[in-house]
Each structure stands twice: as structure tokens, then as C-alpha cells.
Amino acid sequence: MSLPIVAIVGRPNVGKSSLFNWLAGRRISIVDPTAGVTRDRVSTVVEHGGRVWEMMDTGGIGIVDVDDLSADVERQIQLAIESAALVVFMVDVREGVVPLDEDVAARLRTINKPVILVANKADTEKFGQQAGEFCRLGYGEPLCVSADQKLGKDDLFEAIVAKLPPDTGETAPGEAALMIATVGRRNAGKSTFINSLAGAERVIVSEVPGTTRDSVDVRIERDGKSYIAIDTAGVRKTAKMGTNIEFYSTHRAQRSIRRADVVLHFFDARHRVSRVDKQLAEYVVEENKPAIFVVNKWDLVKDSMSTEKMAEYVRAMFPMLDHVPIAFITAKEGKNVLRLLQLAVQLHKQAGLRVSTGDLNRTIRAAIEANHPPMSGSKTPKVFYATQIGVHPPTIVLFTNGPELFDQTYIRYLTKVLRDTFPFSEVAIKIVLRAKGEGMRRGPEDEQVEEIPDTEEETPIVRAPRYTPPPEPVEESEPDQRPRKKPRGSETWDF
């Protein structure tokens, strides 16, 4: 059963995003003095007084967008108003009634829906006394609040509950079966993918780089299961970040990676892998998240390049991530979009698998016998015992005669052996070294997470072959058909 929607609307810079974050109890929307920061519809579930509803933040009505996206922002606002069961009309008590407030009031009179007039920034009693002038907008006495000073929250909640439609027994949505985050450089097609997956214009899509600013959670229902797809802002070099908004957007993208069960790392097929892509991949590795390299806009290059050549190039750019599957999609046309979701579900299952302690120790023992760890000074590194203590990611503890005796090269070797032996071949594996006698000492990251029940038939997925070094050239070999690189500084391929 869908939840009633409460949409927060008003002109720019009256504090809609601040109020939204305050009511949600956490920072979701970006808050900045710059007008027009919010563009997409940002929503979250709020519960109070036994009622549950979806609170929705919107862009400012009447904003002149610096990137000429005013029409797109306006369309998102209209969709929010049309879907809302209740509208919170926000004004700025400090500035008083301005012509744009009157325009918003006139627009809301045509929708035939309950409206709560909220006067924000009423930090003192003096400003509260000035709120009476807003009565002329036609929505009665305004409710004075201060999102910044956190005043009037309970009164606003009570007013919302009183004007919501009759209770039909709606409850907060259950935990999503899977949470995926889309990350990548600007204009890689992340928002287009989200809209294609949702089957609706849920976020703004534009050729303008940096269109998305907030990280937007979009709940999607497929085959009786609920998924959350997080659309994030495109990332670029720190040195090129021109505003605080870009800085906040980047940090929210990193937070989305931490929240996600599976990360979809998007690439534009027309562009080469950049330093920013490598930095994003390093962050995904640090967080031990299952990931998929998604080569989007494949229809634009498929006649000039094969999937094998592109996969070879990607593998060469990320040699430490040769286990990550590669998917080729065209999000604009919906090609392979659902298969990509199914692949993400399979990776999440892999990350939740456990192996027996006996099999794990036999595998580790065989790996050490086949390739002994190098000496560390006068000491020989030894592994006495291995056990799996957690999932998401699979976490293996090795009890040794000294964690400092093992170098990272040998740990990567053991990781590869585990990945090739056990059924989590395409996800990150976390190996923890402990001295013998330290004990288990489980941390919060070691807690078990339940798997998604496997009730679906196996579905074909889009994977690229893993990278292997090319064979030695022979005299009669065919010329290499890979695209030529442009001079240094160019980001596109020369076909």
C-alpha cells in the first residue's frame, strides 16, 4: 500500500531543504545559501503519532536555473504537487510576503488539496509576531517554525497528522531486498538508468554536466520485491570543484557507496577511464563493496569496438579489480537494464555466502604449500587456523604467528585463491590477520546479514571476460582493432 505524500513547496531559499532534513532527522538534501540547489524530488519516510507518510523536498518555484534547467525543475515540482495528499507551503517570515509567494499561493489554490502554511526562520518572538501578514495569502494563520533553531517541530507534525487522509492502515515500507548506488563521472548516464529502472521520470536527465546534486533514493518494485536505487551526483577532480555544492555532492556520493549493498560504477563508452574513475574504484575497494563496471551508451560505439576489446581495456585500467563483472548497457533505450539489476542481486547473494571452516582451512593449507609466504627477516610467516566470521563482505580471519610478517602481495594471492575456490568469485573478500591467541573480537562489520531468498529462475546476465595478458605477437597476426587514443589531455576515443 502506497504511503500518502507530503510535499514541501515554496519559492527559492525559504528553507525547504533545511526543514526536510530536520523533519527526517538526518542530512539528506543539500543545504546551501545559493538559490536553486535542489532540483530533483528528494523523499524519505517519516513517522509520527501512529501515522506514516512520505515527506518530499522540491526545488524552488520560480527559480531561474544557472544551467537552464528551470523547465526540468518545474516539471519535478508539478509531479510532486500532483502526487501529494498534503502540501506544506513554506514562506520566509523575515522577508515577509513577496510577489513570488503570492504566485505560489495562487497556484496552490487550483489543486484542491489541503495546504499547511508554514512560516520558517521565526527564531524569535519578534518574527513570530510578524507572521500575521501571511494571512492574506488565503491559508489562515501560518504555523511559525525555525528549522535552523529547531523550534516548532511537534506543532508541525501535529498539523500534518491532522490533515492527512484517513488512516487506511499504511505502514512503513519494509527493508529493501537490495540497495544499489550508481556512481561515476558526470554525464555517464546514471540518472537515465534510474529512470529506466523505475519506469518513470523520477530524476532530471540532461546533457548539462552536473545536473544531479543530491543523492536521491528511488524505491522500485520488481517481481514482488522492493529495491532502492541511489542516484548520485557525478564526480570530478577536487581541483575543479567550483562551489560548496559540488563538494557536498561528492561527499554524499561517497556516503551512498557506504550505504549500498552493491555499487554500479558507470562509464561513458565514448570516454577513456580517468583519474577520477580510478579514485572512485579505490574508494569502493576500501569499503569492500561488491561492484559492477557499467559501460553505458554502448549503442554509440558498438560498431567501432567489440565488447571483448572494451573489457580488455577496462581490465587493464583496473588490474586489482579483475573479479568485478562488466556490463554493457544502453540506459536510454532500456537495453540490459533489468539484467544489470539481476546481476546486482546475484552479487549480493555471493557476498552473503558462508563456507565451512574445514573447507576453508584445507584451501588455505593447499595455497600455502603451493606458494610459501616469503621470509620476513629471520622469521617464517605461518598460518595456524582460518575461519569465516562475517558476510557482506565475506570476512576471513587468519590466525598467524604475526600479522606484520605477511606482505600485501601474499594477502592478494590468498584472496585470489579463495575467490577462485569458493562461490564468491565476483565480490570483495576481506582478510583479517590476527596473532594466535588474540581471540575472535567481532566488530560491527562482522555481523551476519541475511541473504535474499532465491525464488527466481536463473537469468542470463551480461558479463565481460576477465583480462588476461595478450599472447606474444606472431608475424601473420591481424592488426589490433582497438581504438587509437587521442593526444594526452583528450578524454574521448579516436575511432
Side-chain angles (χ1 to χ4, degrees), residues 195-211:
N195 286 343
S196 179
L197 195 61
E201 188 182 352
R202 186 58 185 81
V203 288
I204 295 174
V205 174
S206 169
E207 293 297 325
V208 177
T211 297

Side-chain angles (χ1 to χ4, degrees), residues 211-368:
T211 297
T212 302
R213 288 172 170 171
D214 290 292
S215 291
V216 183
D217 289 14
V218 179
R219 185 172 287 268
I220 298 164
E221 303 291 335
R222 291 282 181 182
D223 301 323
K225 293 182 178 179
S226 179
Y227 305 94
I228 292 179
I230 310 172
D231 186 24
T232 66
V235 178
R236 63 174 178 169
K237 293 181 181 179
T238 304
K240 291 185 177 181
M241 292 183 185
T243 64
N244 289 337
I245 298 171
E246 292 188 45
F247 176 80
Y248 298 143
S249 296
T250 299
H251 275 261
R252 276 164 170 74
Q254 292 176 345
R255 185 174 68 183
S256 298
I257 291 175
R258 297 193 295 270
R259 294 172 54 210
D261 298 313
V262 178
V263 177
L264 307 183
H265 189 164
F266 271 69
F267 303 89
D268 186 330
R270 301 169 298 176
H271 296 269
R272 292 183 286 158
V273 171
S274 71
R275 183 178 178 181
V276 171
D277 291 316
K278 294 181 179 180
Q279 290 172 342
L280 270 175
E282 289 173 0
Y283 192 77
V284 173
V285 170
E286 289 175 10
E287 296 297 324
N288 295 295
K289 294 294 183 179
I292 304 171
F293 290 143
V294 182
V295 182
N296 191 24
K297 308 182 184 181
W298 186 244
D299 59 315
L300 302 179
V301 302
K302 64 180 181 181
D303 295 332
S304 305
M305 177 187 270
S306 66
T307 56
E308 291 79 11
K309 292 296 183 182
M310 177 61 84
E312 179 183 335
Y313 169 71
V314 173
R315 295 294 183 210
M317 292 295 101
F318 301 97
M320 304 302 295
L321 294 171
D322 64 337
H323 63 280
V324 174
I326 303 175
F328 298 87
I329 72 169
T330 302
K332 189 174 182 179
E333 299 177 5
K335 290 184 178 179
N336 290 332
V337 167
L338 291 182
R339 290 185 177 184
L340 179 56
L341 176 62
Q342 292 158 357
L343 174 56
V345 171
Q346 292 181 18
L347 291 192
H348 186 57
K349 291 178 180 178
Q350 284 187 34
L353 294 177
R354 287 184 175 271
V355 297
S356 70
T357 301
D359 289 341
L360 183 60
N361 280 275
R362 281 188 289 271
T363 299
I364 293 292
R365 192 178 306 118
I368 293 175

